[in-house]
Structures are given as C-alpha cells and as structure tokens.
Amino acid sequence: MASRVREAIAAHGPITFAEYMDIALYGRGGFYERPPVGAEGHFVTAPHVHPVFAELLLRGLRELWEGLGRPDPLRVVEVGAGDGTLCRDLLRLSTDVGPAIELWAVERSSGARRALGALGIHVAERLDELPPLDPGLVFANELLDNLPFRRVRGTERGPVEVLVDATDERFLEVTGPGDDELAPHLPALAPGEEAAVPQDALMFMDELADALVTGYALLIDYGASSHPIGEVHGYRAHAVVEDVLADPGSADITAGVDFGALTERAADRGLILLGEVSQTDALMALGLGAWNEGQLQRQVASIREGSGGRSVAIWQGRSRASLLVDPSGLGRLRWLLLSNPGLPAPSWLGAGSERRSRPSAD
C-alpha cells in the first residue's frame, strides 16, 4: 500500500487526504479488502456488541414500514454491511416479528461482497446500482466516518488544505491552498483548528437522493451538526492509532462527521431531515430499558432457582448491552433520520428527542 501511495504522489505531487484514504482503505489490498470488524478484527460496532441492537433497530424499522403503508415485502438496504452480522440478525429476527424483508447489502469491499452473497441476500458495490427504492429503507451504521474526506486547517491567513507528501523514509503532512472543488466547503477556522470536509459522504448523499424515491434513510455515526470535533485517528487491533500516515492500509482512518453539511446536501436534493438523536436516546426510546428490566428479572429468578451459571450469563449479556448506550463510547453515536417529503416521523424519534431534553427521566 505504501508503494501505491508513493506512485500517486510521484505522478501528481502531494495528494489530498481523501485520495490517501481511498488508496489505504479501499484500494487493492487495502484495509477494507477483508471485513476488519468483530472480536477477531480491528474494532467492533454495535451489532457485534449484543444482538439486542438488531432487535431494537428492527423495532424502529417496523414503524418506518408502517409509515410507508406496510409494503410486502419491505425493501431494506444496508450500506457498508461489512461482515454481515447485522444482516444476519435482521433476517433471523424478521421471521419472528416481521415485516417480511427483502434485504440488500451495499459494500465496496470485494471480500465482504463475497461473504454477504453467501448469506443469500442481494449484493451490490454501490447504491446507484440498485433499482430505485419506491418504497424502501436505507440504513448505514458507522459508514460515513470512514468515507474519504479532505482536511482543512486554520491559519493566520485563512484556511488551507492538509495534503499528503512523501520523503524517502516516510509520509508527512504538507499544506496547500485547496482547489475549486474544495472552495465552497472551506469553513472559518481559528489558527491550528482542523475540520474534515466529507467529500465522499456528500457524494453518497447524492446517490441516496437518487435511489430513494419513496422511503426513509437512517444514518448512524459519530459526528456533530457543525464542523466535527475530534482529531483524525485510526484503529488497529482494537487500539487507537494516532499516526494514520504510518504503514498505510494497516489501520482504519476516521473522523467525526459534519452532519450539518450532509443534511444541507440532502435538502438540496429534496430529502427532509426528520430528526437527530443520540444512540442512547434512540435505543432507550425503542425499549432498551424495558429489555434490561426483563433480563434483570430473569437473572433474579435464576438465582432463586439455584442456577448460578445461567444468572452469570444473563448478567454478562446485560453488561455487554449496556455498552450500546455508554456515553463515552457507542452512546455518542448520532441517529440521523431522513425521508422523502410527506412521510410521517416515527414515535421513537420524538420520544428520543424528549428524553434528550429531560436527561434525568430514566
């Protein structure tokens, strides 16, 4: 991967950070050529923590299905499906609680597409390869923060672009003025302050607007409604990587998502922002508290019955599920819900927003 980055720099001079990410993450032999998620991989996402995530998500999708008039089957598209953990859980659960799902997976990684195809679901490399969704649902869990972005940095003379260059020994950051494509997105930054311009995420919003004729899109990711806070970093073997230019292709690369920029692009393309809530508020609104109480009652009953092993297993499951709403971790994820005009907002979105305004309610 390092040689491919060097070839790009040799051909064009310093490259944008987005081009560096594209090579390191998605190029042949790159980080995402094989799904890196899971306990044996480099990081985990909510579906790997506990199956209750899929159970609650399906509950949320069911209400969106009702808002669409209960189509049979419901066409559901997961973009960035990874190793298929969430797809498998949704297929398994939907046979019990409905609605009947026609599941599609969109995944850029060729290795992931092969694994997903083995599950018997429809697979595509890009969202624009699918038939128009009329109606349908799209969701993406922790996808947008890994799509290639460009970096800008504030200076005394105004914002500049952070580029990637190379010496004989290593890759390094240099700065340049940016180009016409970047110019409309240059924010006002204090000297030394940085922001990520979500280049490919903005293009994804265009694809989403084209694909979604009638339906909803649920985007789950880390970020904020303005230029994101937090530095660019990566993950390797479940540990944070600070130097993302060292050993390209060996680590994830990520930064918080500028939801404000994405919702503006969505609005320009005719989509409506129905609301945004934290993962904590969304999952609690969808019944995680009641689920936990039920598990606690099972745990107590197991103790009374003298089944210590079962009680410990239930306690371990409750502990894992609590990570989904940990305010220092997965609980910081934001759930962004978009739709075509005229569709109703689900009750869980309003309940999540109310819970946010009354944080001591639970």
Side-chain angles (χ1 to χ4, degrees):
M1 300 311 299
S3 65
R4 294 192 182 102
V5 175
R6 289 185 180 278
E7 289 172 2
I9 295 172
H12 309 295
I15 60 176
T16 68
F17 195 78
E19 185 174 354
Y20 172 78
M21 286 183 67
D22 193 69
I23 297 170
L25 298 184
Y26 301 104
R28 182 170 53 87
F31 183 74
Y32 279 104
E33 185 164 305
R34 293 182 177 84
V37 293
E40 303 302 320
H42 294 277
F43 57 88
V44 295
T45 59
H48 300 89
V49 171
H50 197 285
V52 74
F53 177 81
E55 180 181 333
L56 298 175
L57 176 63
L58 184 60
R59 188 175 298 174
L61 297 182
R62 181 183 177 88
E63 190 172 348
L64 300 181
W65 169 66
E66 292 172 347
L68 291 172
R70 299 192 171 195
D72 184 16
L74 172 64
R75 293 182 63 200
V76 177
V77 180
E78 182 183 4
V79 186
D83 67 347
T85 295
L86 187 52
C87 286
R88 285 192 295 270
D89 285 345
L90 290 177
L91 287 173
R92 173 179 55 82
L93 292 167
S94 64
T95 60
D96 298 326
V97 298
I101 288 178
E102 177 189 316
L103 188 60
W104 289 71
V106 174
E107 178 57 60
R108 185 169 176 180
S109 162
S110 58
R113 289 198 303 275
R114 288 192 295 270
L116 290 162
L119 299 178
I121 61 179
H122 305 282
V123 180
E125 184 175 356
R126 296 176 59 90
L127 187 59
D128 56 13
E129 296 176 3
L130 274 62
L133 295 168
D134 189 18
L137 302 178
V138 176
F139 69 91
N141 181 55
E142 294 196 50
L143 165 73
L144 301 177
D145 62 339
N146 294 125
L147 296 181
F149 52 82
R150 297 174 73 169
R151 292 171 60 189
V152 292
R153 179 181 298 156
T155 71
E156 296 289 351
R157 299 179 302 278
V160 296
E161 183 169 15
V162 178
L163 305 171
V164 178
D165 203 353
T167 67
D168 291 339
E169 295 81 21
R170 64 189 182 93
F171 299 109
L172 71 161
E173 296 177 3
V174 297
T175 58
D179 55 24
D180 292 341
E181 183 180 350
L182 183 63
H185 305 289
L186 288 175
L189 297 171
E193 187 179 9
E194 282 199 13
V197 176
Q199 169 185 287
D200 281 32
L202 290 170
M203 290 189 288
F204 169 76
M205 299 306 288
D206 292 337
E207 293 182 12
L208 177 63
D210 289 338
L212 202 62
V213 178
T214 306
Y216 296 91
L218 176 61
L219 309 178
I220 305 174
D221 232 306
Y222 294 103
S225 297
S226 59
H227 296 296
I229 58 174
E231 297 181 354
V232 176
H233 60 283
Y235 291 97
R236 182 191 301 120
H238 301 277
V240 174
V241 174
E242 295 184 359
D243 185 359
V244 295
L245 298 185
D247 196 11
S250 69
D252 181 30
I253 304 174
T254 183
V257 177
D258 185 348
F259 286 137
L262 298 189
T263 55
E264 287 179 12
R265 178 63 69 91
D268 290 343
R269 296 299 310 275
L271 296 179
I272 304 297
L273 173 63
L274 293 179
E276 177 189 337
V277 294
S278 71
Q279 175 151 296
T280 296
D281 292 334
L283 293 183
M284 294 302 291
L286 287 166
L288 181 60
W291 176 88
N292 186 58
E293 181 61 31
Q295 295 298 302
L296 177 59
Q297 292 175 6
R298 288 184 59 222
Q299 182 180 339
V300 171
S302 296
I303 294 173
R304 289 173 177 168
E305 294 167 2
S307 179
R310 184 188 307 165
S311 174
V312 170
I314 295 171
W315 173 79
Q316 289 173 336
R318 290 177 57 229
S319 296
R320 289 195 303 274
S322 70
L323 297 176
L324 296 171
V325 293
D326 181 353
S328 65
L330 292 170
R332 294 189 297 109
L333 286 163
R334 309 297 301 175
W335 287 35
L336 190 77
L337 185 63
L338 304 166
S339 77
N340 299 105
L343 295 177
S347 62
W348 56 261
L349 185 63
S353 298
E354 291 178 6
R355 187 181 183 279
R356 176 178 55 187
S357 65
R358 295 182 287 105
S360 62
D362 294 307

